Amino acid sequence: MSSSAGKRRADALSNDASPSDTEGSDADAPASTKRARVGDAIAPAPEVAVEVAVDEPVAAVAQVAQAALTNAQVRLTAAQKRAKFLAKYDGLTPKEILGTSPPKVIPPSADGPNMHRFICKVHPGTWVDRADYEDSTGNLGHHVLRCEPAKTPETEAISAFAAGSTYSAARVQYYLALWCARHHRPFLAAEDAEFCALLRMLYGKVEIPSRVTVSRDVQLIMNHCKSLVIALFEAYLGRVHICVDSWTSPNILAFLGITAHWHHNGNIVHIILDFVRLTSSHTSKYLAEKLVECLRDFGIEEKVLSVTCDNAENNTTMLKEMHVLVPKFRGTLVRVQCFGHVLNLVVKGVLSQFGSRLLIEGGGEGDRDDDVDDEDAEAAQEADEQREAADQAILDSLDNEELGIDITVEDIRLVSGALAKILKLSRKVWNSSTIRAELANLVANAHLNSEVLICSVKTRWNTVTEVLGHTLEMRTVLTDLCDMVQFKKARGVRLRQFVLSDEEWVVLQQLHDLLDPFLFATKEISTSGQALIHQVIAYIDVLTRHVDSFKANDTLHPAVHAAAQPGRVILDKYYSLTDDSIVYRVTMILHPRYKIQYFRDQDWQEDWIMEAIAIVRSEWTTFYKAAPNDPDVPAPTATSTAAGTASSSRASTGSAAPSSRVPAAASGTAQGSASGRHSAQRAARQPLSQALFATISNRQQGARQDELNAYLEAPPLSSVNDPLEYWDLVLKSSNSPLAHMVIDFLTAQDSKRSFSWGRLTVSRLRHSLSDESVRTGTVLGSWSDLPELVPEAEVVQLLTEKSRKGKSRAAPAAVAPADAEVIEIE
């Protein structure tokens, strides 16, 4: 509001006032006078005469104070104020009364006064209304106190200082290190001009570390947090599972990726344990030594239950070498085959009939495709040569004559030609933004679900199935795309050559139907948040029946009919390899929904089922079953001992056992009667009486029954979908040894995971990273997902101490002058 107008208003009132206008106190006035309305006569208030004796200072001060107190008690009613105002400004309009800068005048309602609206200059949507006769500024003062002042650099600085600041240089270092490690940001991002300007805008004195400092901080934090990981494993009472895979970075650095998996609060926790640089030939012995060295470094070499790795033959030898180095590790007996690799290999086998290697690498025989895909190049560069060689050896061993495949060259050319057209077309579309835009328009006009024709990727054979799926969905528009004039020019992309015949479309549909279940299974195991080790055998059974249905269907094209046979052979090969490991059958039987009923439903031979049960019993009795004197198992009482004796006697002698114990009881009673105390006699008879009837209540028989036997004898629970969740509840409610065993096995990994971290860390723009930077960035980024492994307060304190030490080393030591007197203080 305008302060000048208020000041002029107060000056006008003070200048026009006269001694006669001064109103006295109305404390003694009658009630009717206090309730006067507008137009009522106002009786003059008595004047208060103040006489001050100047020659008596103390009395004068007291008299003035009393006069001020008396005048402060004068109160005017609204009617008195209104009458006084009208008498003073008689004949003037409201605007003339207010002066040159008046507030907004609101006309009166009925006989009420005019209202003056004072609008706030800072917030025009806020105002204060006041009657024209009011001369108090109380409401205006309250508004000033409540009104938020305009933001200025000074007020913002004061507000920030008053609210406090959480800034510290060490915390900035912590966040930058975690940002680069967890989100795969280059260290150079810390020196970007815009990023630095953003930080300085928030805090002018911020200390931004250099890229070298960020890299060193990542290594420092990782080395410090390693002790926390070691302590975590030391306190963990269960078993740990390991996944192993070799990986070559785009800057040609070979690493052995090692991930650890364990159970925690009903979930499986995954971390990258280490990224070990491989500097020698990848022999089985060398890989085993590196892996065991890492496990010993974390103190878990004897806690490892299973190892998941791909199906290369040198991994089998590696596990045997690990058993030599760590005798408690059981080698190939606890090996888990990477099921994702198995599925990929089956698809390879199916497509191997059609020259799949040439198709995946860019086209059919004799064709040359200049379209180069960066993802293909990276995939080929990162592929494990030994694994690819082992896969190819398996495919080469498939002999069509031995498989009983009888197919003509023309049949193979039909399927391979159709595949070549689709794969080359998908690559053309993927690498051309113009073609993709035209295809998107055609798809939108046809109201199809697919928006883009994806491109197959070398080493990822399931992408062929995805290309087929998208192609079949876009069948109605792909021919129109290939017939567009701009794509049929002689020196252009010439899409007309990729138009398919009706017979080719039928063949591709049949081939897609054969491959699609393998794509579904791959996505299930790759995207599942829980381990599916207990479903591997069930998955293989389903896929085997699926392939057999294609083998038996004579209505299919001969090439598709024959392609199912290699897939069946590969499935059989790896199905038989599950017998070499105990993990698969143990997890199947310990699934409450499966137990041994699943094997009977699948027509397993009875000796196979009994062998699986024997494996489970051996694991249970050797490693998990509590001993009779185990403190966790209730010790047998005298009652239970007597009951057990009676039960065993009845089993051996029939009904004579109970009657043979009656005379002994009577003898005991007779001896007790000699003492003359009947209560003692009853006390002596009570344990024996309980023993006699304990077999009816069967109280101790449940405690003595083997927990595994009780589980196997109970019927399957069809309502249990997540076995890990089920057994976690059992463990929390009863601390069951069997629950410990089941959870240890169910946390085994069916497929390798988490190795995408390496590729994200070493992107195409970060090829110059050293092996140590790759290792620490990848590992710390994985650990940071668990707050207890990278605690902020502890790491910030570590960085603070490091900064202090660095400053103390950088500060020059004070040197005393040559002629100065030096005083030594002990």
Side-chain angles (χ1 to χ4, degrees):
M1 62 167 289
S2 174
S3 58
S4 59
K7 185 175 180 181
R8 287 193 300 270
R9 169 80 172 124
D11 293 342
L13 293 176
S14 60
N15 292 335
D16 294 340
S18 61
S20 61
D21 295 329
T22 305
E23 297 177 4
S25 174
D26 60 346
D28 298 330
S32 59
T33 304
K34 293 182 180 180
R35 293 190 297 269
R37 295 293 184 265
V38 179
D40 295 344
I42 301 175
E47 297 182 358
V48 178
V50 179
E51 295 180 1
V52 179
V54 296
D55 56 340
E56 296 180 359
V58 177
V61 171
Q63 192 172 5
V64 171
Q66 182 63 31
L69 181 61
T70 303
N71 291 332
Q73 295 176 351
V74 175
R75 297 288 186 271
L76 295 179
T77 63
Q80 291 174 336
K81 291 180 181 180
R82 175 67 176 162
K84 182 178 179 181
F85 176 81
L86 293 176
K88 184 175 182 178
Y89 297 103
D90 186 25
L92 298 179
T93 64
K95 292 186 177 180
E96 292 174 346
I97 297 174
L98 293 173
T100 57
S101 301
K104 182 178 180 180
V105 178
I106 301 177
S109 58
D111 294 334
N114 292 312
M115 300 299 293
H116 296 164
R117 174 163 293 177
F118 297 90
I119 300 175
C120 179
K121 290 185 176 180
V122 178
H123 302 285
T126 305
W127 60 81
V128 175
D129 290 341
R130 193 179 67 170
D132 57 1
Y133 57 82
E134 288 286 354
D135 56 3
S136 172
T137 58
N139 290 336
L140 296 176
H142 292 317
H143 168 74
V144 172
L145 294 177
R146 291 193 306 266
C147 184
E148 181 181 357
K151 290 185 177 181
T152 63
E154 293 77 10
T155 58
E156 290 182 346
I158 293 174
S159 300
F161 177 78
S165 176
T166 60
Y167 167 82
S168 71
R171 185 170 280 106
V172 172
Q173 290 181 247
Y174 167 80
Y175 286 133
L176 282 178
L178 265 291
W179 179 52
C180 292
R182 189 173 186 180
H183 300 285
H184 321 288
R185 298 294 187 268
F187 301 135
L188 190 62
E191 297 182 356
D192 288 347
E194 292 79 7
F195 177 73
C196 296
L198 175 65
L199 295 183
R200 292 193 178 98
M201 179 188 70
L202 300 175
Y203 184 68
K205 296 183 179 181
V206 62
E207 298 178 15
I208 305 175
S210 65
R211 65 180 186 277
V212 178
T213 302
V214 175
S215 175
R216 291 175 179 173
D217 289 341
V218 169
Q219 298 181 22
L220 177 68
I221 296 173
M222 183 263 181
N223 293 329
H224 172 77
C225 295
K226 183 177 180 179
S227 60
L228 301 180
V229 178
I230 295 174
L232 183 147
F233 285 131
E234 184 178 358
Y236 182 63
L237 301 178
R239 306 297 293 274
V240 181
H241 302 270
I242 299 298
C243 289
V244 183
D245 193 17
S246 56
W247 176 76
T248 302
S249 67
N251 52 350
I252 319 302
L253 295 176
F255 292 92
L256 183 66
I258 306 169
T259 60
H261 314 265
W262 68 95
H263 171 263
H264 178 68
N265 286 339
N267 298 312
I268 301 178
V269 183
H270 316 267
I271 65 168
I272 296 179
L273 203 60
D274 208 343
F275 237 47
V276 180
R277 173 71 191 281
L278 300 178
T279 58
S280 182
S281 178
H282 301 180
T283 63
S284 303
K285 185 176 181 180
Y286 176 69
L287 294 176
E289 290 174 350
K290 285 294 185 181
L291 179 54
V292 171
E293 179 183 348
C294 172
L295 299 179
R296 285 175 174 167
D297 201 19
F298 285 89
I300 59 173
E301 70 277 10
E302 295 185 353
K303 284 191 172 185
V304 174
L305 177 58
S306 72
V307 174
T308 302
C309 51
D310 59 44
N311 309 312
E313 187 59 31
N314 68 328
N315 284 333
T316 303
T317 313
M318 178 191 72
L319 295 175
K320 295 178 180 178
E321 292 288 344
M322 288 180 61
H323 174 63
V324 174
L325 297 174
V326 184
K328 289 189 176 182
F329 174 71
R330 291 180 281 177
T332 56
L333 197 62
V334 290
R335 176 183 182 175
V336 177
Q337 304 277 351
C338 177
F339 191 47
H341 182 209
V342 173
L343 295 174
N344 195 46
L345 186 58
V346 173
V347 176
K348 272 188 182 182
V350 172
L351 296 176
S352 64
Q353 304 295 310
F354 315 115
S356 53
R357 177 177 293 276
L358 292 175
L359 294 173
I360 289 293
E361 291 180 355
E365 298 182 12
D367 292 333
R368 182 177 180 273
D369 197 347
D370 295 330
D371 297 322
V372 179
D373 189 60
D374 292 336
E375 195 170 4
D376 262 348
E378 288 187 10
Q381 195 174 42
E382 297 174 13
D384 188 342
E385 295 181 0
Q386 292 186 351
R387 180 176 63 237
E388 293 297 320
D391 290 352
Q392 190 58 41
I394 295 174
L395 297 179
D396 294 340
S397 65
L398 300 176
D399 191 338
N400 286 349
E401 294 183 1
E402 294 181 1
L403 297 177
I405 297 177
D406 185 12
I407 186 173
T408 64
V409 177
E410 289 75 13
D411 292 333
I412 293 179
R413 285 180 178 175
L414 176 65
V415 181
S416 61
L419 275 175
K421 289 180 181 180
I422 288 304
L423 294 177
K424 287 176 65 66
L425 176 61
S426 67
R427 194 175 297 274
K428 292 283 187 182
V429 173
W430 185 263
N431 292 324
S432 173
S433 59
T434 304
I435 302 177
R436 292 177 67 178
E438 292 293 344
L439 179 60
N441 292 333
L442 292 174
V443 168
N445 294 334
H447 305 287
L448 301 179
N449 293 328
S450 297
E451 295 182 357
V452 66
L453 188 61
I454 66 172
C455 180
S456 61
V457 179
K458 190 186 302 182
T459 74
R460 300 168 195 169
W461 294 81
N462 274 308
T463 56
V464 176
T465 311
E466 293 184 306
V467 172
L468 290 176
H470 283 254
T471 301
L472 292 169
E473 290 179 4
M474 298 181 182
R475 176 179 177 177
T476 56
V477 299
L478 285 181
T479 302
D480 296 337
L481 177 71
C482 296
D483 283 337
M484 286 187 172
V485 177
Q486 62 268 37
F487 301 141
K488 293 193 298 183
K489 296 180 181 179
R491 295 187 178 181
V493 290
R494 295 176 297 159
L495 298 185
R496 179 62 188 171
Q497 60 181 321
F498 304 125
V499 175
L500 298 175
S501 64
D502 292 340
E503 187 178 6
E504 287 174 326
W505 280 115
V506 172
V507 170
L508 291 182
Q509 181 66 63
Q510 294 176 0
L511 185 61
H512 175 265
D513 294 341
L514 174 60
L515 297 177
D516 190 59
F518 295 93
L519 175 63
F520 176 83
T522 302
K523 290 183 176 181
E524 283 293 302
I525 66 171
S526 300
T527 60
S528 175
Q530 59 183 357
L532 300 177
I533 185 66
H534 56 279
Q535 293 185 358
V536 169
I537 292 179
Y539 270 57
I540 296 179
D541 287 335
V542 171
L543 293 174
T544 300
R545 289 194 296 270
H546 168 71
V547 174
D548 286 344
S549 66
F550 271 72
K551 285 179 55 182
N553 190 352
D554 295 333
T555 62
L556 298 174
H557 188 275
V560 178
H561 177 78
Q565 182 62 21
R568 179 65 156 84
V569 172
I570 297 174
L571 279 174
D572 288 345
K573 172 183 173 63
Y574 286 99
Y575 201 175
S576 63
L577 289 178
T578 59
D579 293 340
D580 297 338
S581 174
I582 65 173
V583 178
Y584 297 101
R585 285 169 288 182
V586 170
T587 54
M588 284 284 290
I589 292 178
L590 295 181
H591 192 313
R593 192 177 63 190
Y594 293 151
K595 296 190 178 182
I596 61 176
Q597 186 61 41
Y598 175 84
F599 300 135
R600 292 201 170 100
D601 293 340
Q602 298 298 318
D603 297 327
W604 276 35
Q605 297 179 13
E606 194 63 26
D607 56 340
W608 296 354
I609 299 176
M610 299 311 297
E611 181 184 356
I613 295 176
I615 292 173
V616 176
R617 290 190 190 279
S618 176
E619 288 294 310
W620 164 249
T621 56
T622 305
F623 300 104
Y624 294 95
K625 184 178 181 180
N629 57 351
D630 195 306
D632 292 337
V633 179
T637 62
T639 303
S640 63
T641 304
T645 304
S647 177
S648 61
S649 300
R650 183 167 58 253
S652 58
T653 62
S655 60
S659 61
S660 64
R661 296 183 60 88
V662 174
S667 174
T669 304
Q671 293 176 1
S673 62
S675 63
R677 297 185 60 87
H678 297 283
S679 60
Q681 298 172 20
R682 288 192 298 270
R685 290 196 304 268
Q686 186 175 5
L688 185 58
S689 301
Q690 291 178 350
L692 289 173
F693 293 95
T695 56
I696 298 177
S697 60
N698 200 19
R699 297 171 184 170
Q700 297 300 324
Q701 186 176 354
R704 292 195 315 272
Q705 186 179 14
D706 184 90
E707 189 177 359
L708 178 61
N709 289 339
Y711 166 77
L712 294 176
E713 291 172 2
L717 302 176
S718 58
S719 60
V720 176
N721 293 320
D722 186 351
L724 189 61
E725 180 183 5
Y726 171 84
W727 284 108
D728 182 64
L729 294 175
V730 174
L731 179 63
K732 291 177 179 178
S733 61
S734 63
N735 196 28
S736 163
L738 183 60
H740 281 285
M741 173 182 170
V742 179
I743 288 176
D744 281 348
F745 275 91
L746 283 178
T747 49
Q749 297 300 295
D750 54 284
S751 181
K752 297 171 296 184
R753 293 180 174 93
S754 304
F755 293 106
S756 59
W757 278 89
R759 185 179 179 184
L760 293 173
T761 301
V762 189
S763 62
R764 284 175 287 175
L765 301 179
R766 304 184 72 190
H767 284 187
S768 61
L769 283 178
S770 66
D771 58 339
E772 187 61 20
S773 295
V774 174
R775 170 179 174 264
T776 55
T778 304
V779 173
L780 181 61
S782 173
W783 293 357
S784 61
D785 289 336
L786 303 178
E788 62 269 23
L789 296 184
V790 190
E792 178 178 345
E794 187 173 331
V795 174
V796 169
Q797 181 63 27
L798 172 71
L799 295 173
T800 302
E801 294 175 357
K802 172 207 168 189
S803 178
R804 290 173 181 171
K805 292 179 181 179
K807 291 179 180 179
S808 63
R809 287 194 300 266
V815 180
D819 56 347
E821 180 181 0
V822 179
I823 302 176
E824 296 183 358
I825 301 176
E826 295 183 359

